[in-house]
């Protein structure tokens, strides 16, 4: 368990909020919400809570409805929920667990029990986060890995096709990377990849930057017009050229493709970006080529 973790306590009663907060004080950071709607808003914001203590009986939107909404949203589905309730029937508990809650705390609650339950589920959440880190992230750069990229790309592709909005993919390759490894060693090569990866991580909620393997990276972004997308790519070229790690001149080549009617799936879009990347290499490197 980490004291950097956050628990969101949701209850329409200020006195209950205060009591629950006192039970877990010192275990974690604490945030509070007075309604189900406020819970949903806070849970979707970064940084997200690691655990939610959720009152069942609330006006307008009860705990069951809130839990259903949390589990139906891909952004909040992984946040564990513990119901806090005065209901003690087996059917009520079964209903909550079927909806997606991980545990129940019944009123009147004992502080030691509350602390123990919260501590247990924060530990489980921390372990799950570490597993996700291994499963979805590249260990060298900290960027997403190819496995995660392909999963999220399918979702973005489907959304772009259904909602008729742009989706861009950039294939990025570090120029002459083999020479960097040969002349300076693999440890320096790793440092170069780490710095390139950090520079390629676009500060945009809609963007996904992944290391697809070796010295290749893939970037996805949507919700922007042609000019904005082109400018983002050009800024990446400039950002990499200005890095100068270990006084090594580092540049990248970029192949860029926009979703079109000819792209039936993400593999088709990615292939067009890859062909454009090959052209960028052929035409001198340190440049951007658009796919048509």
């Amino acid at each position: 368990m980490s004291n950097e973790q956050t628990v969101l306590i949701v209850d329409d009663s200020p006195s209950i909020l205060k009591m629950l907060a006192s039970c877990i004080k010192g275990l974690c950071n604490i945030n509070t919400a007075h309604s189900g709607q406020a819970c949903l808003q806070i849970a979707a914001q970064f940084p997200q809570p690691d655990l939610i203590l959720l009152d069942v009986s609330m006006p307008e939107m009860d705990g069951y409805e809130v839990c259903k909404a949390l589990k139906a949203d891909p952004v909040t589905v992984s946040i564990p929920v513990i119901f806090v309730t005065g209901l003690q029937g087996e059917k009520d508990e079964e209903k909550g667990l079927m909806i997606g809650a991980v545990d129940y705390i019944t009123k009147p609650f004992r502080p030691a029990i509350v602390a123990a339950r919260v501590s247990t589920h924060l530990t489980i959440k921390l372990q799950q986060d570490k597993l996700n880190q291994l499963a979805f992230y590249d260990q060298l750069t900290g960027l997403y890995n190819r496995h995660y990229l392909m999963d999220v790309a399918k979702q973005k592709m489907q959304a772009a096709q259904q909602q008729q909005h742009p989706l861009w993919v950039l294939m990025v390759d570090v120029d002459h990377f083999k020479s960097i490894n040969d002349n300076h060693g693999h440890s320096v090569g790793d440092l170069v990849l780490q710095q390139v990866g950090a520079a390629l991580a676009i500060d945009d909620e809609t963007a996904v930057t992944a290391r697809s393997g070796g010295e290749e990276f893939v970037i996805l972004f949507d919700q922007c017009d042609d000019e904005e997308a082109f400018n983002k790519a050009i800024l990446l070229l400039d950002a990499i050229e200005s890095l100068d790690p270990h006084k090594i001149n580092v540049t990248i080549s970029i192949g860029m493709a926009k979703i079109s009617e000819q792209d039936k799936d993400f593999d088709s879009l990615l292939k067009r970006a890859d062909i454009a990347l090959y052209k960028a290499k052929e035409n001198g490197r340190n440049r951007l080529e658009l796919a048509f």
Side-chain angles (χ1 to χ4, degrees), residues 75-89:
V75 175
T76 57
V77 65
S78 64
I79 304 174
V81 174
I82 298 177
F83 276 128
V84 180
T85 178
L87 304 174
Q88 298 188 28

Side-chain angles (χ1 to χ4, degrees), residues 220-241:
L220 303 175
F221 53 83
D222 48 22
Q223 309 295 340
C224 59
D225 59 27
D226 294 5
E227 182 178 0
E228 183 182 358
F230 181 79
N231 289 337
K232 284 182 179 182
I234 293 298
L235 286 174
L236 292 177
L237 284 173
D238 295 339
I240 301 303
E241 193 170 15

Side-chain angles (χ1 to χ4, degrees), residues 167-205:
L167 174 63
W168 297 87
V169 59
L170 277 63
M171 284 285 293
V172 180
D173 188 86
V174 181
D175 295 328
H176 303 297
F177 185 71
K178 185 178 183 301
S179 296
I180 294 175
N181 274 338
D182 291 345
N183 295 328
H184 302 279
H186 287 275
S187 60
V188 173
D190 286 349
L191 176 65
V192 168
L193 290 177
Q194 288 172 334
Q195 293 195 20
V196 168
L200 292 177
I202 297 177
D203 186 17
D204 185 331
E205 290 184 358

Side-chain angles (χ1 to χ4, degrees), residues 146 150 157 263-272:
R146 184 175 179 83
M150 299 309 290
M157 188 85 178
D263 298 311
K264 303 305 180 184
D265 53 31
F266 180 69
D267 287 339
S268 172
L269 178 60
L270 188 64
K271 184 176 180 180
R272 291 200 297 118

Side-chain angles (χ1 to χ4, degrees), residues 10 22 30 33 100 108 124 129 150 158 167 169 185 191 201 215 263 283 285:
V10 187
S22 68
I30 298 170
I124 293 172
D129 288 346
M150 299 309 290
Q158 185 178 26
L167 174 63
V169 59
L191 176 65
E215 67 272 23
D263 298 311
N283 292 334
R285 296 181 169 84

